Amino acid sequence: MAPVLQSSQPWVEKYRPKQVKDVAHQDEVVRVLTNTLETTNCPHMLFYGPPGTGKTTTALAIAHQLYGPELYKSRVLELNASDDRGINVVRTKIKNFAAVAVGTVRHGSGYPCPPYKIIILDEADSMTEDAQNALRRTMETYSKVTRFFFICNYISRIIEPLASRCAKFRFKPLTEEIMTTRILYICKEEGLNLDSEALSTLSCISQGDLRRAITYLQGAARLFGSSISSKDLISVSGVIPEDVVQALFSACKSGNFDTADKEVKNVIAEGYSVSQMLSQLYDVIVESDDISDEQKARICKKIAEADKCLIDGADEYLQLLGVASNTMCAISNMPSFGS
Amino acid sequence: MLWVDKYRPKTLDKVLVHQDIAQNLKKLVTEQDCPHLLFYGPSGSGKKTLIMALLRQLFGASADKVKVENKNWKVDAGSRTIDVELTTLSSTHHVELSPSDAGFQDRYVVQEIIKEMAKNRPIDTKGKKGFKVLVLNEVDKLSREAQHSLRRTMEKYSSSCRLILCCNSSSKVTEAIRSRCLNMRISAPTEGENFCDTKVRRQLFQPMSMYIVKVLEFIGKKEGLQLPSGFADRIAQQSNRSLRRAILSFETCRVQQYPFTTNQPIPPMDWEEYVSEIASSIFKEQSPKRLFEVRGKLYELLINCIPPEIILKRLLYELLKKLDSELKHETSHWAAYYEHRLRLGQKAIFHLEAFVAKFMSIYKGFLIETFG
Ligand SMILES: Nc1ncnc2c1ncn2[C@@H]1O[C@H](COP(=O)(O)OP(=O)(O)OP(=O)(O)O)[C@@H](O)[C@H]1O
Ligand SMILES: [Mg+2]
């Protein structure tokens, strides 16, 4: 018996759409690009939107569909944040690639092969402003023979002169419905069983990020076999169980500093992510009936500050303790400290 | 060999703490297509042990044959070349390194060195696995740029390479990276079933497969030691749920006095003693002169490579012990405030000293108000 060749790719890669038309939920860009495939006309493009919504997928798919496997290497330059894209690279590597003239359309390959090259700058929001500025000229000078695809999460990090030269497409977080369809498709391929509760949990915890949904699904499938429950999915997702959040919240309501401190220490020892805790605590606070709006405002302000501090690399224990202490003060109408 | 190393379980079947996770890991790697993994949890909770056992599960005994190398790379950074020096630990199937050791040059490590490693397929094609593994330690200490640089590498070369990332605080790992990994939370083991807290915790959190006390008893048995009742409990209690620490102090006790006696003192860590002294001297007097003395002591700790945030947290712990409620809120607020500043700043000592000064002024104000 011939051994079955096992794919060694994780599911996210295995189920990455190879064709533009298979990209779900991003109708506008799919329409424009499908058009491109016929007319071979293509403007500079800017894709932006949250993680796992299909930006990289779409860019790679169109490039492959335009040139086919043979020409791809010579016609497409993909640079991402894992490449040095400082100003020097823009001036040399990118410029040199952009400057090369390309032959006219080759017939017979079965691919449109338009007479220009494509430079994909993925994760472009991590490029410095200087480097982006250096790109402006290159873009203009070689626009006959080169198209640029910029991809980023935050459009505000792309300088206006670049952005204004591109057709912009916002990639929306996937809706629950689309997510479900896609997940069900994978379940069918992999022989998995999800009940409707598990399905909606999965859409909910991945918050429109299909990559996350697929990763969780694969993790759960490996750990718990082919029948996956909502609880299994939560346990691989890093979402903190509701009773842990409630325990911290009640400790804050107890009015006893030491009780809260102990609970905070627990959260840390259990290894929960504090930024995750803050966002779940935030939800609990906002929905709570027995706290006044003013108290809620005080608490949320502090949560926001702590979140920023964590991004700066501050200590998780101290920040969570700060939030817990402040929450306690707010609930018992004691003055807060600082700011 | 130290007991912490001697009794580090080698295989997933032998681990005592986190048996449930170990079994899960085994299932995860039954197929070739396992996703990238992110291990996170407090220090001393057993992440490294699990990772090493996992490598062994993947690659067999050859994963144990590691060599340690100090490597130098010359990285071309446009206008200049940068020298990067890193220690790597590698077998034929895996490489382990801590990219954050390169400090502010960590971006180059990710862009050049790690990408290069990820690109190349494993040399040994006869091996069972078609991919190699890169273990990256302390990813929470990586700069933002370095973390961004990792994103696409994780996708692009995923057929030839798996990443195992390891860190203490997952909050410092960007969303984009977390979304590319299966997250494995490794909690600190609880002290033992005799601890009243543990019972409450077991209802709240997931059940623990093993307690620190059990591990100590296991080691004691292997070493042929007599443990008086309650002795392991006391060590566990002082360990702050760090298994590593518990085993270390167990061994220290063994060196200091054997046979053990029931109330044999369990030596605290030197530096913790020192911080506790600092706290008392702050309580005794709040003055510029005392501040100056305290500064010298803090400096001493820093010179001995105790990380500043650890000092600050310990100092807070000591101060909180002796304060009444309102001051506790205020003090913990300022501890968080100055630790954040410390992250943003350059010289740790400034911020530690600022915290002490702030506390002295708060405390003095309180004393005057209460006692006139
Ligand atoms: N719209 C979509 N249709 C189908 N699959 C999708 C879609 N969006 C994401 N996916 C799935 O999620 C994975 C990741 O998507 P992709 O790499 O395109 O994300 P991205 O938008 O580039 O995210 P990031 O901003 O983090 O780079 C793909 O491999 C694919 O399996
Ligand atoms: Mg992408």
Side-chain angles (χ1 to χ4, degrees):
Chain A
M1 208 175 78
V4 187
L5 192 68
Q6 248 188 0
S7 160
S8 65
Q9 286 193 321
W11 290 1
V12 243
E13 292 305 318
K14 190 169 166 191
Y15 293 102
R16 190 190 280 281
K18 302 281 178 301
Q19 304 207 324
V20 173
K21 68 173 169 48
D22 295 332
V23 173
H25 196 53
Q26 317 298 354
D27 303 331
E28 201 185 337
V29 69
V30 169
R31 190 156 35 80
V32 170
L33 288 176
T34 315
N35 207 6
T36 296
L37 282 173
E38 280 162 20
T39 62
T40 72
N41 273 337
C42 180
H44 297 301
M45 298 270 200
L46 171 60
F47 297 166
Y48 64 101
T53 48
K55 300 180 298 296
T56 306
T57 309
T58 309
L60 293 179
I62 185 74
H64 277 106
Q65 281 180 280
L66 280 175
Y67 301 109
E70 256 172 55
L71 272 182
Y72 185 86
K73 273 232 159 66
S74 60
R75 291 291 183 88
V76 182
L77 176 67
E78 187 205 337
L79 292 174
N80 50 64
S82 78
D83 305 293
D84 183 14
R85 290 181 303 189
I87 193 156
N88 278 304
V89 173
V90 172
R91 286 199 183 125
T92 54
K93 195 169 172 185
I94 296 185
K95 189 166 160 227
N96 292 342
F97 186 86
V100 178
V102 288
T104 42
V105 189
R106 225 203 283 171
H107 289 288
S109 67
Y111 293 97
C113 300
Y116 48 79
K117 296 167 286 34
I118 291 182
I119 298 184
I120 301 175
L121 290 168
D122 201 349
E123 295 149 5
D125 33 9
S126 65
M127 288 176 80
T128 63
E129 223 167 90
D130 285 347
Q132 292 188 38
N133 267 313
L135 261 182
R136 287 165 60 174
R137 279 283 300 282
T138 313
M139 253 177 107
E140 244 159 39
T141 319
Y142 305 107
S143 66
K144 272 226 160 61
V145 286
T146 306
R147 296 292 180 278
F148 279 85
F149 280 51
F150 294 97
I151 304 178
C152 63
N153 293 126
Y154 303 103
I155 192 174
S156 54
R157 304 251 170 88
I158 304 292
I159 60 169
E160 182 51 32
L162 287 192
S164 64
R165 286 175 169 79
C166 300
K168 299 188 234 353
F169 294 98
R170 190 172 88 86
F171 280 63
K172 297 162 287 205
L174 306 198
T175 59
E176 191 159 335
E177 217 182 312
I178 306 274
M179 221 36 145
T180 310
T181 325
R182 199 67 202 161
I183 290 165
L184 280 176
Y185 167 75
I186 297 177
C187 287
K188 201 172 112 236
E189 293 287 305
E190 300 287 338
L192 302 178
N193 223 329
L194 287 203
D195 56 34
S196 62
E197 189 197 349
L199 258 179
S200 79
T201 306
L202 186 54
S203 314
C204 172
I205 54 182
S206 26
Q207 307 199 310
D209 178 343
L210 191 54
R211 173 177 27 231
R212 262 212 276 189
I214 299 177
T215 308
Y216 294 158
L217 185 67
Q218 188 184 9
R222 288 286 170 272
L223 296 183
F224 306 106
S226 58
S227 276
I228 299 167
S229 72
S230 151
K231 216 174 111 240
D232 300 340
L233 288 166
I234 292 204
S235 79
V236 296
S237 69
V239 173
I240 303 172
E242 203 48 40
D243 41 1
V244 178
V245 185
Q246 285 299 340
L248 180 63
F249 185 44
S250 354
C252 293
K253 285 200 275 197
S254 76
N256 182 329
F257 182 93
D258 292 336
T259 312
D261 185 25
K262 205 161 120 194
E263 212 50 64
V264 169
K265 285 203 173 98
N266 256 335
V267 170
I268 302 291
E270 289 298 317
Y272 291 113
S273 153
V274 169
S275 60
Q276 177 70 30
M277 177 53 101
L278 291 185
S279 81
Q280 289 184 240
L281 187 65
Y282 171 87
D283 290 341
V284 170
I285 303 272
V286 169
E287 278 158 30
S288 168
D289 297 329
D290 48 5
I291 308 181
S292 74
D293 284 352
E294 198 194 325
Q295 289 169 325
K296 284 183 186 177
R298 265 176 75 182
I299 297 170
C300 293
K301 178 161 176 272
K302 180 72 179 182
I303 291 182
E305 283 165 10
D307 187 62
K308 158 80 172 98
C309 290
L310 286 174
I311 299 260
D312 290 340
D315 185 79
E316 291 191 302
Y317 163 72
L318 292 175
Q319 290 304 322
L320 189 57
L321 183 63
V323 167
S325 145
N326 174 271
T327 306
M328 188 178 287
C329 292
I331 292 175
S332 43
N333 293 317
M334 279 156 49
S336 302
F337 299 97
S339 50
Chain B
M1 202 180 350
L2 286 174
W3 287 356
V4 265
D5 294 318
K6 189 169 167 191
Y7 293 104
R8 190 194 281 278
K10 288 267 180 322
T11 62
L12 289 175
D13 285 321
K14 290 221 180 85
V15 302
L16 293 176
V17 188
H18 301 306
Q19 276 162 354
D20 44 347
I21 295 177
Q23 290 311 313
N24 280 345
L25 286 172
K26 240 171 113 176
K27 289 190 220 152
L28 258 185
V29 298
T30 48
E31 309 270 336
Q32 289 268 317
D33 56 1
C34 93
H36 302 298
L37 300 174
L38 170 67
F39 285 79
Y40 65 98
S43 85
S45 63
K47 298 180 291 296
K48 213 44 189 298
T49 304
L50 285 168
I51 292 176
M52 283 161 72
L54 177 67
L55 289 172
R56 201 184 152 103
Q57 176 79 26
L58 277 166
F59 304 121
S62 68
D64 288 347
K65 293 201 197 79
V66 291
K67 59 175 192 281
V68 183
E69 284 171 292
N70 258 321
K71 286 199 189 161
N72 275 297
W73 283 272
K74 292 220 177 305
V75 176
D76 179 22
S79 49
R80 66 217 155 98
T81 38
I82 293 175
D83 285 298
V84 181
E85 196 186 321
L86 278 181
T87 310
T88 64
L89 210 85
S90 55
S91 74
T92 41
H93 300 284
H94 88 279
V95 185
E96 176 184 335
L97 68 164
S98 312
S100 59
D101 286 353
F104 61 92
Q105 293 169 342
D106 58 359
R107 179 166 67 95
Y108 296 105
V109 177
V110 176
Q111 289 182 342
E112 303 296 328
I113 301 168
I114 294 181
K115 195 165 72 172
E116 221 27 66
M117 290 174 173
K119 255 188 210 168
N120 301 324
R121 283 198 165 265
I123 334 142
D124 167 278
T125 42
K126 276 174 284 164
K128 283 180 297 198
K129 301 290 165 186
F131 57 80
K132 73 156 146 243
V133 171
L134 283 179
V135 181
L136 304 184
N137 292 321
E138 303 190 332
V139 282
D140 48 353
K141 298 210 179 120
L142 282 180
S143 65
R144 295 264 125 183
E145 286 93 359
Q147 293 196 31
H148 284 317
S149 304
L150 205 53
R151 293 192 294 189
R152 191 69 190 122
T153 300
M154 295 176 79
E155 297 177 338
K156 214 166 168 182
Y157 308 110
S158 61
S159 61
S160 59
C161 174
R162 284 300 177 282
L163 293 184
I164 296 182
L165 309 176
C166 185
C167 71
N168 289 136
S169 14
S170 59
S171 296
K172 294 177 198 168
V173 179
T174 58
E175 194 60 42
I177 295 212
R178 278 191 274 163
S179 120
R180 282 163 169 80
C181 299
L182 190 60
N183 292 269
M184 308 294 292
R185 180 173 59 86
I186 314 297
S187 60
T190 45
E191 294 91 343
E193 60 224 319
N194 298 339
F195 291 77
C196 61
D197 258 15
T198 303
K199 291 207 188 79
V200 183
R201 265 183 215 141
R202 280 185 54 182
Q203 290 157 4
L204 274 177
F205 306 100
Q206 66 192 52
M208 294 293 147
S209 43
M210 208 51 165
Y211 308 108
I212 290 180
V213 170
K214 287 278 168 57
V215 177
L216 296 179
E217 282 165 3
F218 170 82
I219 294 178
K221 205 161 125 214
K222 287 271 174 182
E223 291 284 324
L225 303 175
Q226 287 292 335
L227 291 183
S229 77
F231 187 58
D233 283 348
R234 278 175 47 224
I235 295 181
Q237 182 157 35
Q238 278 205 12
S239 72
N240 263 327
R241 291 177 74 181
S242 163
L243 189 55
R244 181 187 306 121
R245 176 152 181 199
I247 300 175
L248 282 172
S249 52
F250 187 33
E251 192 170 4
T252 314
C253 289
R254 166 73 181 80
V255 173
Q256 287 186 341
Q257 181 187 339
Y258 189 79
F260 298 127
T261 52
T262 323
N263 46 11
Q264 172 174 349
I266 294 154
M269 307 265 240
D270 291 345
W271 71 270
E272 289 182 356
E273 278 282 278
Y274 205 67
V275 174
S276 150
E277 281 164 26
I278 294 177
S280 334
S281 77
I282 293 174
F283 277 121
K284 277 202 206 91
E285 186 184 317
Q286 302 83 35
S287 67
K289 184 163 152 280
R290 185 49 59 95
L291 183 60
F292 181 72
E293 285 163 25
V294 167
R295 178 185 216 269
K297 289 182 180 169
L298 292 172
Y299 216 73
E300 190 72 17
L301 286 166
L302 288 173
I303 289 171
N304 282 294
C305 292
I306 312 289
E309 71 278 7
I310 303 277
I311 302 176
L312 189 73
K313 279 197 278 185
R314 188 71 195 182
L315 186 56
L316 175 67
Y317 167 82
E318 294 289 349
L319 295 176
L320 288 181
K321 277 205 269 189
K322 301 200 181 110
L323 293 176
D324 78 350
S325 178
E326 193 188 330
L327 287 188
K328 280 180 180 170
H329 287 292
E330 197 167 354
T331 308
S332 63
H333 167 81
W334 291 110
Y337 176 85
Y338 284 108
E339 194 274 339
H340 176 226
R341 305 267 293 208
L342 186 157
R343 280 304 155 159
L344 300 177
Q346 292 260 355
K347 283 244 184 272
I349 187 75
F350 293 165
H351 306 282
L352 291 179
E353 191 180 4
F355 171 66
V356 174
K358 184 80 196 174
F359 177 76
M360 282 182 170
S361 110
I362 292 170
Y363 192 64
K364 185 140 200 149
F366 163 78
L367 289 181
I368 292 172
E369 202 172 289
T370 334
F371 304 108

